[in-house]
Amino acid sequence: MSHSLRRFVPILDWGRQYDRKALSNDMIAAVIVTIMLIPQSLAYALLAGLPPEAGIYASIAPIILYAVFGTSRALAVGPVAVVSLLTASAIGQVAEQGTAGYAVAALTLAFLSGGFLVLLGVLRLGFLANFLSHPVIAGFITASGILIATSQLKHILGVSAHGHTLPEMLASIFAHLNEVNWITVLLGVSAAGFLFWVRGNLKPLLKRLGTGPLLTDLLAKGGPVFAVVGTTLAVWGGGLAELGVKIVGDVPQSLPPLTMPGLSGELVGALLIPAVLISIIGFVESVSVAQTLAAKKRQRIDPDQELIGLGAANLGAAFTGGFPVTGGFSRSVVNFDAGSETPAAGIYTAIGLAFAAVALTPLVYFLPNATLAATIIVAVLSLVDLSILKKTCGYSRADFIAVAATILLTLGMGVEVGVASGVIISVLLHLYKTSRPHVAEVGLVPGSQHFRNIHRHEVETIPSLVTLRVDESLYFVNARFLEDLIQSRVTDGCEVQNVVLMFSAVNAVDYSALESLEAINARLKDMSIGLHLSEVKGPVMDRLKRSHLIEDLNGKIFLSQYDAWKELTRAPVPQAAV
């Protein structure tokens, strides 16, 4: 079997070493994750504005396809809060919720997202995700968590409300406060309070009671199931649906159907940009989780193959009645902590969810929407991390501005504007930082051959010699900055006779930067000042030799900065260098 085939279909690799121990660990992990996923899948379908069964459908075929094509052994793929919110925002602009067109738009969004991810993976363009800075991603996820929690308040209160931004949602909720159903409030608040208590207190309590580790994990992760069972029984036994409590109602008792996304030009055009944004956000979130979990077991993932795995999962969702999916943080951590050994755990989870879709859906008829809303609120509030503002404010003003802008734009103008602005801000932040490369004027550390920043260390300098250490690669964005810096330095005084550019940290010089170096050389030559280079890396020198700079250089190229110092200053050799 060829190595390239195993690379594109990782199941052919890990599947060859699959043994009984891995089977046992994967089965246990699958049971725990399945218990967690049943209420979570229903809840995220509600968040996306889709029928509850869509959440289960989106958790079956995508998990299996990721297990075949993905490289992470712990990542659990399916509906997640942020992607569900993005889905609702995107398709809410092209179709009315509850209509057949809305469901078709969700399928189309998953299809476009999957196709885009697979294309990136085949072209090995996973590095593009690096253009989203972590602070911006953290700001977007924090704002999305606030939006998601706010969007679910209408279900907790039992009122009709709408809106895609925080001001719209709050205004709509306040406008409908006279419609509050207090029985729904009691159910929702009780479920949320119980879930918060379970998250922080149930596992320690069970350990104190001497419960075994496996049973403790099952009961702790099954908190949402207990909330679902308790509130469903309360609605059924008390006839609360007749008192205005909104319930899930009929859920089809079947396996995922074969579906076809809509491919009309108008629909594809309307959803293409949202699909790209959802793909980028989903991939960044997924690969971050996968890399973190892989590192704990000294495993590795292939980001480009992850694109193919996630793309296949989304294509699977498009043809089986789902909506866009990605790797979820909470379920992946649960999968990892439960002892998952291989992606086969995901396949067993899919089997468990398929059984639930066939046999258990009638049991959720009286499940109140308020309970699903409580499940979402408790899950997404863990995503809200406003401390990122304080952290970035104290560390980097540029990062703080980027985070604050992303949060405010997401809350005030919606998730699509927020994620688009996050991408733009990340790129602009990168360009801003690289447009002002760190260039230090250096001098000789006494008694050594080392050179350090003259503003940080006690070093030797010669008025006739200026040495500038360039600490970044030179390209079109920052080339002019170096021109201006040298010009201002040599015009400050008339004693400068030589300028040395220390290129020890320069890994590349593009054509724009080459032209700037040629301009610097010509300008210094007119001023009777020599321009020299030192410590130029081999690949950079190979590129420079293809130009006229080397032969036109108004100076020399030195192997080391110390060689340049000795020749240009005629200084005695320090004792330590003899």
Side-chain angles (χ1 to χ4, degrees):
M1 190 180 302
S2 69
H3 174 74
S4 60
L5 182 61
R6 292 201 305 271
R7 183 172 71 81
F8 283 108
V9 189
I11 192 173
L12 299 177
D13 188 16
W14 60 261
R16 293 186 306 164
Q17 292 119 24
Y18 201 68
D19 55 22
R20 184 173 298 178
K21 179 186 175 186
L23 171 66
S24 175
N25 290 336
D26 287 345
M27 289 291 289
I28 293 172
V31 170
I32 294 174
V33 174
T34 302
I35 291 172
M36 174 186 178
L37 276 187
I38 292 174
Q40 200 176 75
S41 297
L42 298 172
Y44 289 149
L46 178 72
L47 176 58
L50 292 162
E53 64 269 17
I56 295 180
Y57 296 162
S59 301
I60 297 178
I63 296 179
I64 296 173
L65 287 167
Y66 178 80
V68 173
F69 295 103
T71 59
S72 171
R73 303 203 172 194
L75 192 70
V77 171
V80 300
V82 173
V83 170
S84 298
L85 178 65
L86 287 166
T87 298
S89 176
I91 60 181
Q93 298 178 26
V94 299
E96 185 178 347
Q97 188 173 326
T99 64
Y102 192 92
V104 170
L107 300 175
T108 304
L109 194 62
F111 177 79
L112 294 174
S113 179
F116 180 70
L117 287 167
V118 169
L119 179 63
L120 289 182
V122 171
L123 297 177
R124 305 188 70 79
L125 296 177
F127 70 89
L128 292 176
N130 296 333
F131 284 98
L132 271 176
S133 71
H134 180 265
V136 167
I137 284 289
F140 172 73
I141 291 177
T142 290
S144 297
I146 295 171
L147 283 180
I148 292 168
T150 305
S151 73
Q152 297 308 298
L153 290 178
K154 62 183 180 182
H155 298 296
I156 298 290
L157 299 174
V159 302
S160 300
H162 62 275
H164 296 291
T165 68
L166 187 63
E168 289 176 354
M169 291 180 191
L170 293 177
S172 183
I173 290 171
F174 279 116
H176 292 83
L177 283 180
N178 60 321
E179 303 172 7
V180 170
N181 184 297
W182 292 106
I183 299 176
T184 300
V185 172
L186 179 62
L187 289 170
V189 171
S190 299
F194 173 74
L195 290 173
F196 275 119
W197 179 84
V198 165
R199 174 166 290 197
N201 300 288
L202 183 57
K203 183 175 281 191
L205 175 63
L206 292 173
K207 286 182 177 179
R208 287 197 300 270
L209 294 175
T211 310
L214 178 58
L215 183 58
T216 296
D217 275 340
L218 282 171
L219 293 175
K221 301 301 185 296
V225 175
F226 300 143
V228 165
V229 172
T231 53
T232 300
L233 289 175
V235 172
W236 172 70
L240 301 184
E242 299 173 4
L243 299 178
V245 175
K246 295 179 182 178
I247 58 175
V248 168
D250 285 314
V251 177
Q253 194 173 353
S254 68
L255 292 172
L258 181 63
T259 54
M260 285 295 295
L263 298 177
S264 68
E266 183 180 355
L267 183 61
V268 170
L271 295 178
L272 186 58
I273 298 302
V276 170
L277 296 177
I278 286 173
S279 301
I280 294 172
I281 289 294
F283 173 66
V284 170
E285 179 180 354
S286 177
V287 80
S288 298
V289 175
Q291 287 175 332
T292 300
L293 297 179
K296 292 183 178 181
K297 288 191 175 182
R298 297 190 177 185
Q299 298 168 348
R300 65 175 297 273
I301 66 164
D302 180 350
D304 293 313
Q305 185 61 32
E306 283 298 290
L307 285 165
I308 295 175
L310 291 173
N314 276 280
L315 291 175
F319 291 101
T320 56
F323 55 97
V325 298
T326 192
F329 176 75
S330 58
R331 74 187 63 173
S332 298
V333 171
V334 168
N335 194 36
F336 180 86
D337 290 343
S340 168
E341 291 278 345
T342 72
I347 297 176
Y348 305 144
T349 299
I351 294 172
L353 289 171
F355 171 77
V358 171
L360 302 181
T361 49
L363 301 180
V364 300
Y365 180 89
F366 287 102
L367 172 61
N369 288 344
T371 301
L372 295 179
T375 302
I376 293 172
I377 290 173
V378 173
V380 301
L381 285 182
S382 64
L383 302 176
V384 177
D385 179 21
L386 292 175
S387 68
I388 190 68
L389 290 168
K390 181 179 179 181
K391 293 173 184 175
T392 54
C393 183
Y395 186 78
S396 168
R397 182 176 298 178
D399 284 330
F400 170 75
I401 292 173
V403 172
T406 302
I407 291 175
L408 291 175
L409 287 170
T410 303
L411 293 177
M413 302 185 71
V415 289
E416 288 187 345
V417 173
V419 68
S421 65
V423 174
I424 294 171
I425 290 171
S426 293
V427 173
L428 290 178
L429 192 60
H430 170 73
L431 293 177
Y432 171 75
K433 289 177 178 178
T434 56
S435 70
R436 302 177 62 84
H438 184 263
V439 179
E441 184 171 346
V442 297
L444 179 67
V445 177
S448 77
Q449 297 183 17
H450 301 293
F451 291 80
R452 293 293 183 268
N453 193 321
I454 64 172
H455 300 296
R456 293 177 178 270
H457 302 273
E458 293 291 334
V459 293
E460 295 179 9
T461 59
I462 303 294
S464 62
L465 174 64
V466 172
T467 299
L468 300 175
R469 188 189 67 219
V470 184
D471 289 338
E472 293 183 32
S473 295
L474 296 175
Y475 70 119
F476 66 95
V477 173
N478 60 24
R480 186 57 186 266
F481 177 85
L482 184 61
E483 279 190 63
D484 296 339
L485 180 66
I486 293 175
Q487 184 66 29
S488 100
R489 180 63 182 83
V490 297
T491 54
D492 283 342
C494 58
E495 296 185 60
V496 178
Q497 297 177 8
N498 292 286
V499 173
V500 181
L501 296 181
M502 188 174 172
F503 269 25
S504 53
V506 176
N507 296 314
V509 175
D510 76 355
Y511 192 78
S512 296
L514 172 65
E515 290 185 325
S516 286
L517 290 174
E518 290 174 340
I520 292 168
N521 181 57
R523 196 171 298 149
L524 293 180
K525 187 174 184 179
D526 291 340
M527 300 171 68
S528 299
I529 297 176
L531 175 65
H532 312 269
L533 304 179
S534 73
E535 303 188 10
V536 184
K537 292 185 176 180
V540 176
M541 180 60 75
D542 292 341
R543 184 68 61 87
L544 293 179
K545 285 180 178 178
R546 300 176 197 169
S547 70
H548 296 290
L549 176 66
I550 302 302
E551 55 190 68
D552 295 339
L553 190 66
N554 183 33
K556 296 183 178 181
I557 298 176
F558 296 96
L559 185 63
S560 72
Q561 178 57 33
Y562 188 67
D563 291 340
W565 171 272
K566 285 193 301 180
E567 180 164 332
L568 298 175
T569 64
R570 303 298 180 186
V573 179
Q575 191 64 34
V578 175

